[in-house]
């Protein structure tokens, strides 16, 4: 069954279409497709061999002029240099503002192709086709686009909403186990932020070590869509709550050169640190912190941070995009479903939590 989750932002109203066998019929799901002639599909060398022909074939059958650009996979590719490769493909295809960039892949492709679409000719149309769990439940929804700059995670980017997000659940069947686990990090994050039945559903799913159920994915997309609708540009503090676990997670990714950990693995370590801090600073009970740590372990996400200079992680936390002159405000939890944004953590505790992550 196909489900359509509406996302109502100030800049655009669109839908996240969640269902099966959607990749062959993409043209029918692109609003005002008839106004454009050309599409450039951006994908990576993991996803393209699996789905590019299907997607491009379906679009060509609907009389689109389709070209593609395939980048190497991995977070280390989210650079200005790769962005320039994508611009080259858009330029070479003669894309106009009425035409469409299709981001076919996981979070890296979505962020990079999204930023290319946001900035090429000051903005061409964008369709997000997430093929990873992480991109389906989080990255593709809500219009965040970016590349990393030096060691600054997502330092250069914009908010740019797509015409539509098409999440074909069939594409999860080919997702490597490591990527499934990585996606679970964001699923667990949403569970901790929502608490209650959502967390129970997440916990039950985590225990099976499998791909999340359709229901879980739809619930997560709906949660994300409602947060984005209330705070599209992270201005009221509501969307900032989605950064739970990301302050230290992003610093870990950067400190390890965007190569050692996937985004989800680094976020899992960030979530573990967040739980430790929440117990000490926000009154999260030890039982709840332990429960959450067990959920993270149940899906096979990393237990420990290995071989990283703790000072490098701390200095990168200070460079977090959300930091001001006084430092960074962490999102912590006072209980499940009750996030506490903007908590200042003194340097001594920051050092202690990183040390704890390294020796647990
Ligand atoms: N991934 C966090 C957000 O979209 O705001």
């Amino acid at each position: 069954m196909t489900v359509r989750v509406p996302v109502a932002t100030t800049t655009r109203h669109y839908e996240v279409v969640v269902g099966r066998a959607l990749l062959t019929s993409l043209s029918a799901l692109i609003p005002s497709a008839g106004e454009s002639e050309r599409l450039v599909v951006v994908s990576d060398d993991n996803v393209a061999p699996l789905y590019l022909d299907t997607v491009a074939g379906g679009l060509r059958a609907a009389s689109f002029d389709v070209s593609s650009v395939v980048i190497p996979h991995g977070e280390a590719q989210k650079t200005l240099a790769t962005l320039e490769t994508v611009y080259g493909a858009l330029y070479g295809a003669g894309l106009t503002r009425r035409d469409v960039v299709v981001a076919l892949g996981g979070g890296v492709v979505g962020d990079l192709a999204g930023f290319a679409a946001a900035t090429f000719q000051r903005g061409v149309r964008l369709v997000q086709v997430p093929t990873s769990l992480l991109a389906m439940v989080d990255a593709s929804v809500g219009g965040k686009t970016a590349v990393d700059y030096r060691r600054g995670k997502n330092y250069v980017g914009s908010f740019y909403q797509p015409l539509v997000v098409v999440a074909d659940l069939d594409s999860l069947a080919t997702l490597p186990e490591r990527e499934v686990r990585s996606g679970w990090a964001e699923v667990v994050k949403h569970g901790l932020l929502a608490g209650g039945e959502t967390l129970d559903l997440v916990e039950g799913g985590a225990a099976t070590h499998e791909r999340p159920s359709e229901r879980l994915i739809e619930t997560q997309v709906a949660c994300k869509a409602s947060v984005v609708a209330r705070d599209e540009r992270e201005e009221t503090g509501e969307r900032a709550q989605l950064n739970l676990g990301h302050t230290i997670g992003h610093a870990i990714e950067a400190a390890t050169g965007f190569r050692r950990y996937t985004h989800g693995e680094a976020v899992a370590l960030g979530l573990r640190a967040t739980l430790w801090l929440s117990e000490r600073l926000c009154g999260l009970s030890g039982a709840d912190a332990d429960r959450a740590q067990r959920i993270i372990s149940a899906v096979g996400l990393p237990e420990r941070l290995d071989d990283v200079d703790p000072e490098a992680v701390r200095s990168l936390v200070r460079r977090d995009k959300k930091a001001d002159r006084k430092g960074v405000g962490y999102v912590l939890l006072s209980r499940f479903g009750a996030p506490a944004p903007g908590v200042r953590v003194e340097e001594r505790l920051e050092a202690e939590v990183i040390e704890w992550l390294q020796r647990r």
Side-chain angles (χ1 to χ4, degrees):
M1 200 181 73
T2 301
V3 173
R4 292 171 178 266
V5 181
V7 189
T9 71
T10 47
T11 51
R12 193 188 292 281
H13 287 207
Y14 59 98
E15 288 181 327
V16 183
V17 185
V18 185
R20 295 193 176 277
L22 301 177
L23 294 187
T24 40
S25 52
L26 216 51
S27 62
L29 299 170
I30 302 178
S32 10
E35 293 170 24
S36 42
E37 288 174 4
R38 290 200 176 87
L39 293 107
V40 177
V41 183
V42 182
S43 194
D44 72 20
D45 58 4
N46 277 342
V47 174
L50 297 168
Y51 301 119
L52 183 56
D53 283 351
T54 307
V55 166
L59 292 167
R60 284 194 188 107
S63 303
F64 284 105
D65 176 347
V66 184
S67 53
S68 61
V69 53
V70 177
I71 61 171
H73 65 274
E75 181 73 32
Q77 293 300 322
K78 236 171 79 174
T79 60
L80 292 172
T82 314
L83 183 68
E84 192 168 357
T85 304
V86 175
Y87 287 147
L90 307 188
Y91 187 84
L95 217 69
T96 72
R97 281 187 177 169
R98 301 219 66 80
D99 297 326
V100 180
V101 169
V102 178
L104 173 69
V108 170
V109 166
D111 280 8
L112 184 99
F115 187 55
T119 46
F120 190 75
Q121 296 175 351
R122 296 202 186 97
V124 297
R125 294 158 153 203
L126 170 67
V127 169
Q128 289 280 6
V129 185
T131 56
S132 75
L133 174 59
L134 186 140
M136 284 183 193
V137 299
D138 190 18
S140 69
V141 183
K144 279 190 177 174
T145 72
V147 295
D148 303 325
Y149 180 68
R150 299 190 180 177
R151 296 213 289 174
K153 169 83 180 180
N154 295 339
Y155 247 45
V156 180
S158 71
F159 291 93
Y160 192 67
Q161 304 295 342
L163 294 178
V164 66
V165 180
V166 180
D168 187 337
L169 299 167
D170 287 340
S171 60
L172 297 181
T174 53
L175 194 64
E177 283 305 319
R178 186 174 181 194
E179 293 302 325
V180 176
R181 287 197 294 275
S182 298
W184 267 102
E186 302 288 1
V187 173
V188 172
K189 176 193 82 176
H190 287 147
L192 299 177
L193 288 170
E197 281 178 20
T198 306
L199 183 58
D200 294 344
L201 196 61
V202 168
E203 188 172 33
T208 66
H209 297 266
E210 279 170 7
R211 282 145 177 79
S213 65
E214 292 186 32
R215 182 167 157 240
L216 185 53
I217 292 175
E218 285 157 23
T219 311
Q220 299 248 330
V221 170
C223 287
K224 173 95 195 243
S226 75
V227 172
V228 169
R230 290 195 296 274
D231 183 17
E232 179 181 3
R233 298 180 69 88
E234 219 165 280
E235 285 163 341
T236 69
E238 191 155 0
R239 186 163 183 172
Q241 293 171 10
L242 299 175
N243 291 318
L244 186 78
H246 283 60
T247 307
I248 288 182
H250 281 168
I252 289 172
E253 279 188 273
T256 52
F258 298 110
R259 286 180 195 278
R260 183 173 333 152
Y261 296 106
T262 62
H263 175 64
E265 289 165 350
V267 166
L269 290 166
L271 286 173
R272 291 192 188 281
T274 297
L275 293 161
W276 188 94
L277 289 169
S278 298
E279 237 187 297
R280 278 145 191 90
L281 296 175
C282 290
L284 181 72
S285 75
D288 281 353
D290 288 350
R291 178 182 171 202
Q293 299 283 7
R294 279 197 305 275
I295 298 174
I296 299 169
S297 299
V299 282
L301 284 160
E303 298 287 332
R304 191 181 318 104
L305 173 64
D306 292 317
D307 294 333
V308 179
D309 173 11
E311 187 42 46
V313 177
R314 286 177 58 211
S315 82
L316 286 161
V317 164
R318 286 192 288 276
R319 276 196 175 266
D320 189 286
K321 298 185 295 307
K322 297 167 294 293
D324 57 24
R325 288 213 183 82
K326 287 188 247 137
V328 69
Y330 281 76
V331 184
L332 300 182
L333 288 173
S334 48
R335 57 188 159 73
F336 297 141
V343 181
R344 304 283 167 178
V345 176
E346 57 181 82
E347 287 190 12
R348 179 188 59 81
L349 262 191
E350 234 171 29
E352 251 187 78
V353 74
I354 293 163
E355 199 187 299
W356 170 82
L357 261 187
Q358 293 189 301
R359 68 177 151 72
R360 63 187 305 274

